[in-house]
Amino acid sequence: MELSPLEKRFSLQGKTVVFTGAAGGIGSAIAEGLAEAGASVALCDISTGQLEQVRDRIIGAGGTASCHRLDVTDKEMISECMRQIHGQYGSLDVLVNCAGINKREGFADVAEETYDKIMDVNLKGVFLVSQAAAPYMKEQRSGSIINIGSHNTGSILGGCAVYGATKCGVLSLTRSMAVEWAKYNIRANCVSPGHIQTPLTTVTWEHPQRSKYLLDRIALNRPGYPEDIVGVCILLASDASAYITGTEIRVDGGCIAGGQPWPYDTAF
């Protein structure tokens, strides 16, 4: 069936998308959304059990997906994974760097080994995976890299010192990729979610003080959900964003903009 003009603009048919962190709440939602838009998705994560569930949901919905065990801190494993994916699908059109970890604790409480582990996964992982994927994109003279940032690139929460530092670094790496690889028609952008409710953050949203603190700072007065991230990723993966590169797009319900306003006079 022929696609409508709107569908053609945003369609991902014929594109191969590689995901890291695809087993997580946000990563799996993005992967399923891009598959619905027509992409063939290569799901990568260190947790293969959950990864297979994501793959099965995509295939069950009529999409194309495969599972690939990947440790984003292992350079040789990354190189082999990219080679296998390219060999299987014939192209590597979009990379979504979503793998990330965190441990909430005070700045002065962070052990060196914790610092190293978070840095290795969240920042070095983005560097290594992007470095491995870029030659395939260079060869085909096209590609889109979508790095998942965080609210912490613009406003730090207590207990997120190292995590916040990694996400600020991810934003900087994104800009470097955009500037250096534009000549190969490779675009790079950063999507920074706000306060998203996932299985890992349920404990925060169920906490009476922390949930109120967050809602007071979100203009839309609700948590974000993984599905809220999907649309902007479809945009950045598709040809509709052909002139967008090196930017950060916030999906935060108006949190950075100012959150809930204080009382003011209005006739509206």
Side-chain angles (χ1 to χ4, degrees), residues 69-85 124-125 127-133 136:
R69 186 177 182 276
L70 179 63
D71 180 348
V72 299
T73 69
D74 186 328
K75 187 174 182 178
E76 291 185 4
M77 191 176 187
I78 294 168
S79 179
E80 177 60 19
C81 186
M82 295 301 122
R83 187 191 68 78
Q84 288 180 1
I85 292 169
K124 189 176 181 181
F127 178 84
L128 292 177
V129 175
S130 300
Q131 203 175 51
Y136 296 102

Side-chain angles (χ1 to χ4, degrees), residues 174-240:
T174 301
R175 290 168 174 157
S176 292
M177 294 176 202
V179 169
E180 293 189 19
W181 296 342
K183 59 187 175 183
Y184 306 119
N185 198 31
I186 299 172
R187 299 181 294 108
N189 293 285
C190 182
V191 174
S192 291
H195 303 298
I196 308 299
Q197 186 167 4
T198 69
L200 291 179
T201 64
T202 297
V203 64
T204 297
W205 284 106
E206 291 181 348
H207 191 286
Q209 292 174 312
R210 291 180 179 176
S211 60
K212 183 180 185 305
Y213 176 94
L214 295 179
L215 289 174
D216 284 346
R217 287 157 178 78
I218 300 172
L220 290 180
N221 195 33
R222 69 165 177 86
Y225 300 101
E227 293 74 19
D228 291 320
I229 315 297
V230 173
V232 69
C233 289
I234 292 175
L235 167 67
L236 294 175
S238 73
D239 295 338

Side-chain angles (χ1 to χ4, degrees), residues 102-107 152 155-166:
N102 190 21
K103 183 178 181 181
R104 294 184 183 276
E105 54 187 349
F107 192 110
N152 290 274
S155 181
I156 294 291
L157 293 171
C160 292
V162 184
Y163 180 83
T166 64

